[in-house]
Amino acid sequence: MTPKKPLPNHPPIRRAPWRGDRRLVTAVPYGWLIVFFMIPFLLVFKISLSESTLAVPPYLPLLEWTQTGVMNIRLNIGNYLRLLLDPFYASGLLASLSIAFIATLCCLVLGYSIAYGITRLPQRWRYIFLLLIILPFWTSFLVRVYAWMGILSKDGLLNQLLLYLGIIAEPKQFLYNNFSVMVGIVYCYLPFMILPIYSVLEKIDDSYLEAAYDLGCSPWRAFWRVTFPLSLPGMWSGIALVFIPALGEFVIPELLGAPDNLMIGRIIWIEFFNNRDWPIAATVAVVMLLMFIVPIMVLQRRQLRRRG
């Protein structure tokens, strides 16, 4: 009898991944967006198309049934026309855009310098400086803003320091103006600019700079031709993280700004709680939200085209 040949050792059969797992994983973020973004946005958009009235809630319903069983639909687009024709809202929007733009530019210059300086440090010192940058987040946001009120007031630390150095002869008004608002925004949102830029700069391979030096580039030219272009994704992320919340900021302008300096966040607060005009406040919120979403979509499309 011929001996039997041993059976070959086949690798274990792997089952194909179940598509339901992938759908479940992707359903979690989509469900989060639908519940906490899309549904509230639709509710605010519905209020923006209604009319204001003295009732609870202070707006008329969009759908109304008559006694004969006919459903009437009331869509009020006058709120959006009011935003275009009333200079009060246009001035508030322009003030918000200008302050947010200047504050974002200051954060970009300071944040890029700080992030680049941290990447030049030894590895053991980087974590210490990053900890110092994140450390203010462990305290309350209101406490940090109130601290700047004490620093910028007429009898505050800044005026006392300038008087001691002989730079000024009498205390200056650094509080309750656009300067104090921009200082508060830059201070509170500067870490959101530093961290994305640092995360990108840290991943840049030093061999790129060495190759640039070997080809005759000076350190300054190598920075502009190699480091700066590679750090653009972190810069765009930092700009979005700073500009978008700064545009709709309410607490900092309310505490540090002048009473007549109405940014868009303060306008929404006044219309909601002081004037109780919920439709116009919802209209301002919808327009501001669209101003946030459109630049993000444009940046995402640009990044997808570059990757493609």
Side-chain angles (χ1 to χ4, degrees), residues 295-305:
I296 294 176
M297 294 179 62
V298 172
L299 291 176
Q300 288 182 348
R301 291 177 68 90
R302 289 182 60 184
Q303 291 180 357
L304 290 176
R305 289 178 181 176

Side-chain angles (χ1 to χ4, degrees), residues 41-100:
F41 174 76
L42 293 177
L43 293 176
V44 174
F45 182 69
K46 180 181 76 69
I47 296 175
S48 68
L49 296 175
S50 61
E51 297 180 6
S52 179
T53 184
L54 296 176
V56 179
Y59 58 90
L60 297 176
L62 298 181
L63 304 178
E64 184 178 1
W65 292 92
T66 62
Q67 296 180 354
T68 58
V70 179
M71 183 178 65
N72 295 328
I73 302 177
R74 299 178 179 178
L75 297 178
N76 181 24
I77 62 173
N79 297 324
Y80 292 91
L81 296 177
R82 183 178 171 185
L83 292 183
L84 297 176
L85 301 177
D86 195 340
F88 172 74
Y89 302 102
S91 62
L93 181 59
L94 290 177
S96 301
L97 288 173
S98 61
I99 292 176

Side-chain angles (χ1 to χ4, degrees), residues 187-202:
Y187 168 74
C188 293
Y189 293 106
L190 184 59
F192 295 102
M193 183 69 72
I194 297 175
L195 296 178
I197 297 176
Y198 170 78
S199 63
V200 174
L201 290 175
E202 190 185 23

Side-chain angles (χ1 to χ4, degrees), residues 228-304:
F228 186 78
L230 293 177
S231 63
L232 286 177
M235 291 175 53
W236 288 119
S237 300
I239 290 172
L241 290 175
V242 173
F243 181 79
I244 292 176
L247 184 62
E249 181 60 46
F250 166 73
V251 176
I252 297 175
E254 180 69 19
L255 297 179
L256 302 180
D260 57 345
N261 183 11
L262 296 178
M263 294 181 65
I264 202 70
R266 295 182 67 183
I267 291 176
I268 295 176
W269 174 274
I270 291 172
E271 295 293 348
F272 258 116
F273 297 98
N274 295 350
N275 300 336
R276 291 190 60 81
D277 193 347
W278 287 24
I280 191 65
T283 304
V284 177
V286 169
V287 173
M288 187 176 65
L289 185 62
L290 293 177
M291 292 177 60
F292 292 164
I293 295 176
V294 172
I296 294 176
M297 294 179 62
V298 172
L299 291 176
Q300 288 182 348
R301 291 177 68 90
R302 289 182 60 184
Q303 291 180 357
L304 290 176

